[in-house]
């Protein structure tokens, strides 16, 4: 049985696809790549079908990751039954997801899996800033991805 994770931000062109690419690599390093599927989506659909933001792609590439295959998608209510874990990049998207989630479905913040992050920590949106924002996002998602991989490993045995 495959464990399925969906990472969600606003437009699915910066934070969540960066986290998706990083988490896949981390899971591979933990020997979990064949047992876990990682996808990403946005709460908004205006970028659906678009590739990752050039700055996000460049940041990933500069650090040895490949995000070139990504195409943005919009998360919809009927997707909750597809995933074992749905994680939001920030509180705004968390609220949107919780508002559409069926009763009993838990949605959490991605950074809640980073043991060094304070309660309620978010991955900030780098879209309107410079390259340093994308570097910060990469650092934050790498830290959270390690904690998430441990959580998943404990969850699936």
């Amino acid at each position: 049985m495959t464990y399925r994770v969906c990472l969600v931000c606003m437009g699915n062109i910066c934070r969540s696809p960066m986290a998706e690419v990083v988490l896949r690599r981390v899971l591979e390093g933990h020997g979990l790549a064949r047992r876990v599927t990682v996808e990403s989506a946005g709460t908004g659909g205006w970028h659906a079908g678009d590739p990752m933001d050039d700055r996000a792609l460049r940041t990933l590439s500069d650090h040895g990751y490949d995000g070139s295959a990504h195409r943005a998608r919009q998360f919809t209510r009927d997707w909750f039954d597809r995933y074992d874990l749905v994680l939001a990049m920030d509180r705004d998207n968390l609220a949107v997801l919780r508002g559409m989630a069926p009763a009993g479905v838990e949605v959490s913040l991605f950074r809640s899996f980073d043991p060094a992050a304070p309660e309620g920590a978010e991955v900030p949106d780098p879209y309107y800033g410079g390259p340093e924002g994308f570097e910060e996002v990469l650092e934050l998602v790498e830290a959270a991805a390690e904690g998430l991989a441990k959580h998943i490993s404990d969850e699936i045995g």
Side-chain angles (χ1 to χ4, degrees):
M1 187 164 142
T2 302
Y3 190 87
R4 297 184 51 132
V5 178
C6 189
L7 309 171
V8 184
C9 67
M10 189 168 293
N12 193 221
I13 59 168
C14 297
R15 296 172 288 175
S16 61
M18 289 178 75
E20 175 186 353
V21 169
V22 169
L23 182 56
R24 280 190 185 135
R25 164 98 48 93
V26 169
L27 290 167
E28 186 176 310
H30 286 265
L32 297 169
R34 291 181 172 204
R35 299 180 64 197
V36 182
T37 299
V38 181
E39 298 177 355
S40 66
T43 55
W46 51 91
H47 292 294
D50 291 348
M52 193 181 304
D53 180 283
D54 287 341
R55 298 163 296 172
L57 192 59
R58 186 169 31 260
T59 301
L60 286 172
S61 179
D62 288 350
H63 293 272
Y65 296 98
D66 181 9
S68 62
H70 176 76
R71 293 298 175 266
R73 304 176 316 150
Q74 183 177 9
F75 193 96
T76 59
R77 188 181 203 289
D78 62 318
W79 287 20
F80 281 103
D81 64 351
R82 297 183 190 181
Y83 300 102
D84 298 293
L85 193 58
V86 176
L87 301 173
M89 294 293 120
D90 62 32
R91 286 185 293 275
D92 289 340
N93 288 294
L94 179 64
V96 171
L97 290 166
R98 285 182 172 165
M100 70 168 80
V105 172
E106 180 59 33
V107 183
S108 302
L109 287 169
F110 179 69
R111 285 198 62 209
S112 66
F113 293 94
D114 178 354
E119 176 103 13
E122 302 176 292
V123 177
D125 190 348
Y127 188 78
Y128 292 105
E132 65 283 346
F134 291 86
E135 290 288 337
E136 178 186 15
V137 166
L138 182 59
E139 289 176 24
L140 296 175
V141 300
E142 285 178 329
E146 283 294 336
L148 180 54
K150 181 180 179 342
H151 169 81
I152 291 170
S153 180
D154 292 347
E155 191 84 6
I156 64 177

